[in-house]
Amino acid sequence: MTDIFAKPELDRRTLLRRAAAVGLLATPAVGMLSACVGGGSDDSDSEQATGTKSADNPLGIDPKAGVEIVIFNGGLGTAYATDVDTPLFNKKWPDAKVTYSATEQISTVIQPRINAGNPPDMINNSGSNLMDFGAIVKAGQAADLTDLFAAPSLDIPGKTVAETLVPGAVEQGSYDGKPFAMNYSYTVFGLWYNKALFAKNNWTVPTTWAEFTALCDKIKAAGITPFGYAGANASYYMVRALLTSAGKIGTEQVLKDIDNLKEGAWQNDAIKQAAQAWGEIGNKYINKTFLGLKHTEVQLQQNQDKVAFYPCGSWLENEQAKDTPPGFEYAIAAYPSVTAADKLPAPAINAAAGEIYFAAAKGKNPAGGKEYLRTMLSKEAALGFTKLTKSLTVVAGASDGVTISPGLTSANDAVTKAGKDIFMGYLFDTWYKKLDDESRGAVNDLMFKGGDAQKFCDRMEKASQAVAKDSSVTKFTRS
């Protein structure tokens, strides 16, 4: 049988920035997912471990049944699972053995097990080899997490799990109105720089485009590349930068229209203005050799103070921990306002929940998988995750008042400054692989090859409408 989970590879950071649309609706263009996809029979449900529900056991797990978890081994590492979450789980359920494994090849390892009807109980779906989660949901392979989010928090008295999370966290993992994913890591996106380098040179972080280009001139005169990203495997960092600017110019509706494949969406003036502004940065202030470099190579140059500004998400500090020299202080700035008429203010930022974790509906112990997720969503576990990964979680206030690292502190400050002007961004990159690929090539041409804004918009509009008219592509809508 054809493997419906097979798909082109996405970079692992895609999941760190992935956030499902609120009230996500999937409208298949063709018949989806045959009944035999995922393998296994309905008889497996009767063999699943269950227990008696009670106030102390709201999900009704079998206290003695084992729980198998698989964690993606990437930028976040795996210590949070082995050193924080599993000990906390076993503190409450000492007779439930947790079987743990980690892999960089989630789809390669997990997909055959799903197809065979023998999946792990809890899975961290991430990485360049991630599985198509929309297909997993439609095949009935992901457990409905409604009862998890309605269950009491493990360590925040008087609140359900859902009530302890940042706004939108449950909805971001929902499909057809039901939650199937826990998007755990809360990622802040923007311009990253070395605060110590800026202080040494008396450089002020810009809030307007005029200030941005003026500072780039100063940085260039000092012999430092003002702005850079890796064209070989991280061009979507630049796509996000450009579209974040477009969202600030014209509001998030501009990005929703793109996600919904609306005709003319890529020709919106906000996108043209953003592409024009960023294209000039590429023409004047980027090192053209970066087109052939990978993300770690450019990030290392920033650690060596050879690159001033780098567009990325808040996983950057942890990812570069081994290469960051003493005295280097990661800090993040919101992308500067492109025009004086931007509809969102300068502090507005793009931040979203990402990094999918889910319980397998057809595993041996789906209730145990959900209970493991409840453990992760405790305040104690969330704080432990943040300390180990230097990444925020969707557990609201879990790291308040705790000084962990310069970059995390800066990201927290950026969220506070943005206030109500935090927007989720776009989703087409995880919905439509062909459109994502085209955006990466188009932005590289714009930034490295002297491309112009109109050509960028024309190219993306053509690609978008090709997807819209392709009946073989499952369409998603966003409100």
Side-chain angles (χ1 to χ4, degrees):
M1 166 165 284
T2 300
D3 184 357
I4 61 90
F5 293 126
K7 60 182 301 228
E9 287 194 352
L10 300 177
D11 192 280
R12 69 156 183 79
R13 292 160 194 77
T14 298
L15 261 291
L16 285 169
R17 56 194 167 83
R18 186 186 194 283
V22 172
L24 181 67
L25 295 175
T27 307
V30 295
M32 284 287 293
L33 309 181
S34 65
C36 64
V37 168
S41 68
D42 293 337
D43 292 340
S44 64
D45 292 345
S46 62
E47 301 170 2
Q48 291 176 332
T50 59
T52 303
K53 291 186 178 181
S54 66
D56 191 53
N57 185 8
L59 297 177
I61 77 165
D62 179 343
K64 296 184 179 181
V67 179
E68 183 184 1
I69 66 169
V70 176
I71 302 295
F72 171 67
N73 185 11
L76 295 174
T78 61
Y80 66 90
T82 57
D83 299 356
V84 177
D85 299 334
T86 295
L88 283 175
F89 181 88
N90 282 140
K91 182 178 180 180
K92 182 172 177 60
W93 307 105
D95 296 325
K97 180 182 178 181
V98 176
T99 301
Y100 156 87
S101 62
T103 180
E104 296 180 7
Q105 301 293 320
I106 289 294
S107 181
T108 300
V109 173
I110 303 302
Q111 175 186 309
R113 294 188 57 182
I114 287 179
N115 290 343
N118 182 37
D121 301 307
M122 196 285 288
I123 302 158
N124 172 203
N125 185 37
S126 188
S128 61
N129 190 231
L130 62 91
M131 298 179 291
D132 181 342
F133 192 68
I136 289 172
V137 171
K138 285 198 163 293
Q141 297 289 350
D144 184 343
L145 301 183
T146 299
D147 54 350
L148 163 66
F149 292 120
S153 165
L154 278 173
D155 58 3
I156 303 178
K159 290 189 176 183
T160 65
V161 170
E163 290 170 340
T164 68
L165 309 182
V166 297
V170 175
E171 290 81 2
Q172 286 175 356
S174 296
Y175 289 71
D176 293 329
K178 290 185 178 181
F180 291 96
M182 181 186 79
N183 293 279
Y184 192 58
S185 178
Y186 191 63
T187 304
V188 182
F189 300 93
L191 279 173
W192 288 87
Y193 63 98
N194 179 4
K195 187 176 180 180
L197 175 67
F198 274 52
K200 175 183 176 182
N201 290 280
N202 294 314
W203 293 336
T204 301
V205 174
T207 59
T208 69
W209 210 259
E211 292 172 350
F212 185 32
T213 55
L215 179 55
C216 284
D217 285 332
K218 292 181 181 179
I219 294 170
K220 188 174 182 179
I224 299 171
T225 300
F227 175 86
Y229 74 94
N233 73 336
S235 51
Y236 63 84
Y237 291 2
M238 191 62 234
V239 176
R240 181 164 292 273
L242 190 157
L243 292 182
T244 298
S245 292
K248 292 178 73 166
I249 294 170
T251 77
E252 192 173 15
Q253 186 61 48
V254 173
L255 309 183
K256 291 180 180 180
D257 289 345
I258 288 175
D259 287 343
N260 292 332
L261 304 176
K262 181 179 178 180
E263 187 173 359
W266 285 94
Q267 300 288 359
N268 189 293
D269 284 343
I271 297 178
K272 291 181 183 178
Q273 290 174 321
Q276 177 67 32
W278 280 111
E280 291 175 357
I281 296 297
N283 283 333
K284 296 179 181 179
Y285 304 115
I286 202 169
N287 185 331
K288 303 297 185 183
T289 66
F290 288 0
L291 175 61
L293 298 187
K294 295 182 178 180
H295 67 287
T296 50
E297 294 173 309
V298 178
Q299 289 165 193
L300 179 60
Q301 289 200 36
Q302 184 180 42
N303 292 146
Q304 297 168 343
D305 285 336
K306 295 177 181 178
V307 177
F309 285 116
Y310 184 74
C312 198
S314 49
W315 64 79
L316 175 64
E317 183 180 37
N318 187 61
E319 186 171 64
Q320 290 301 109
K322 294 180 181 178
D323 294 312
T324 303
F328 189 103
E329 297 180 46
Y330 271 112
I332 189 173
Y335 292 110
S337 298
V338 174
T339 77
D342 284 9
K343 292 183 179 179
L344 295 181
I349 59 170
N350 172 209
E355 194 72 5
I356 284 180
Y357 298 76
F358 72 99
K362 300 184 183 300
K364 294 180 180 178
N365 190 4
K370 288 191 277 188
E371 181 68 11
Y372 196 92
L373 295 178
R374 188 166 77 114
T375 301
M376 292 179 67
L377 291 170
S378 66
K379 188 172 183 179
E380 185 176 357
L383 179 57
F385 176 91
T386 297
K387 286 180 177 179
L388 286 171
T389 67
K390 300 181 178 66
S391 297
L392 301 173
T393 72
V394 294
V395 180
S399 59
D400 285 356
V402 179
T403 300
I404 296 172
S405 67
L408 183 64
T409 299
S410 181
N412 258 326
D413 290 345
V415 169
T416 300
K417 290 177 182 176
K420 64 180 179 61
D421 296 309
I422 297 174
F423 58 100
M424 190 176 70
Y426 54 87
L427 297 166
F428 75 86
D429 58 333
T430 56
W431 287 353
Y432 309 116
K433 186 64 170 64
K434 288 184 179 179
L435 195 55
D436 178 42
D437 288 343
E438 194 69 16
S439 72
R440 297 180 187 216
V443 84
N444 274 349
D445 283 354
L446 177 71
M447 298 298 292
F448 290 108
K449 299 181 181 180
D452 62 48
Q454 189 59 59
K455 287 183 179 179
F456 174 85
C457 293
D458 290 346
R459 178 175 175 177
M460 292 310 302
E461 178 67 19
K462 181 179 179 180
S464 173
Q465 290 311 296
V467 172
K469 296 172 183 177
D470 187 344
S471 62
S472 69
V473 176
T474 300
K475 305 302 192 300
F476 296 90
T477 58
R478 178 182 173 193
S479 59

